[in-house]
Amino acid sequence: MTSRRRPGASADFEEIRPNLFLIHNPALGPVLRGEGERDGFHFRLTSRRREGLLGRLANRGFVTLTIADRIAALPTPPITTLGPLHRLSIGPKQQLALLDLAAPNGWRLVLPVNGVVELPIGRIVRYRRGRGPVEYMRITAGGWQYLPADDALLLAYGQLPRPSFLRLVPDDGGVAIPTLPLPTAYRQVLGQIAHPHPTGWLLTNDTERALATTLLAKLGVTVVTPEG
């Protein structure tokens, strides 16, 4: 039987926001009846039979792609062993920063002493010269090595202490995740879960909070709720 899935779609039923789906295959329409509200190609699940619905779709051969599936497919940070301390001479306009979940925007400046910093070989740092662009580096025995941003950020999360905690911030609309540097794939999925907020991302309900908690756990980060 020829598939009726829309050309270019990777699934028949794709979750784009919590419980909001895109219908890429009109053939699954009868299975959706009574489970939610349909508006063109959009379907909002309103029943409590989410897992049952997804199971019935799978049993009939339809492919679903949920936000939880996207989280499961995200790369996990490699755990690296850091080497001995290496001394680096830093100019007055050069800034080095380390990933730190408790620091503003997730970066803590490394303050040189007499123009010198000591960092372990293998450590990932954010580098900026004056008001120039941000770059990412790995400390090496000979100095440093530049890395693509996503590779560096994933490595940096692998170098955080275990366990690492991130405290959510109470907000009138729910709770907010403070601004954090995230690899592109993580930022894109978080954008499907949370809402833009002046201080980061806003989570407005338990479903969003649970998904965001699972996403951050993939990075080795444990979420602490305001009441927890």
Side-chain angles (χ1 to χ4, degrees), residues 45-172:
L45 179 66
T46 58
S47 82
R48 298 182 179 180
R49 299 185 293 268
R50 175 187 169 99
E51 297 308 318
L53 172 62
L54 297 179
R56 290 197 303 277
L57 289 171
N59 289 337
R60 298 190 186 196
F62 295 113
V63 176
T64 62
L65 179 61
T66 66
I67 293 175
D69 293 331
R70 294 189 185 278
I71 294 173
L74 290 170
T76 54
I79 305 301
T80 57
T81 301
L82 299 179
L85 291 177
H86 180 69
R87 292 171 59 87
L88 292 168
S89 296
I90 300 298
K93 292 186 178 181
Q94 293 177 305
Q95 290 185 353
L96 300 183
L98 300 176
L99 183 65
D100 184 341
L101 302 184
N105 299 318
W107 292 106
R108 172 171 52 83
L109 288 178
V110 180
L111 301 178
V113 178
N114 297 323
V116 173
V117 299
E118 289 189 335
L119 291 168
I121 293 173
R123 176 68 76 188
I124 300 299
V125 297
R126 187 191 69 175
Y127 171 80
R128 190 173 187 183
R129 183 177 180 87
R131 297 184 179 181
V134 167
E135 298 179 280
Y136 299 90
M137 307 182 310
R138 175 166 45 202
I139 304 301
T140 67
W144 55 55
Q145 170 193 14
Y146 289 98
L147 294 175
D150 285 343
D151 293 346
L153 287 172
L154 203 61
L155 285 166
Y157 274 95
Q159 295 176 357
L160 288 176
R162 294 293 186 267
S164 288
F165 298 100
L166 178 68
R167 186 170 297 277
L168 302 185
V169 181
D171 186 271
D172 290 341

Side-chain angles (χ1 to χ4, degrees), residues 139-223:
I139 304 301
T140 67
W144 55 55
Q145 170 193 14
Y146 289 98
L147 294 175
D150 285 343
D151 293 346
L153 287 172
L154 203 61
L155 285 166
Y157 274 95
Q159 295 176 357
L160 288 176
R162 294 293 186 267
S164 288
F165 298 100
L166 178 68
R167 186 170 297 277
L168 302 185
V169 181
D171 186 271
D172 290 341
V175 292
I177 301 174
T179 299
L180 290 175
L182 293 173
T184 301
Y186 276 84
R187 190 168 61 250
Q188 289 172 342
V189 178
L190 183 59
Q192 291 184 283
I193 300 168
H195 308 268
H197 189 269
T199 63
W201 300 272
L202 181 66
L203 306 171
T204 61
N205 56 53
D206 290 342
T207 300
E208 293 173 358
R209 190 183 302 194
L211 287 168
T213 297
T214 302
L215 179 142
L216 290 170
K218 288 275 290 191
L219 290 172
V221 176
T222 300
V223 166

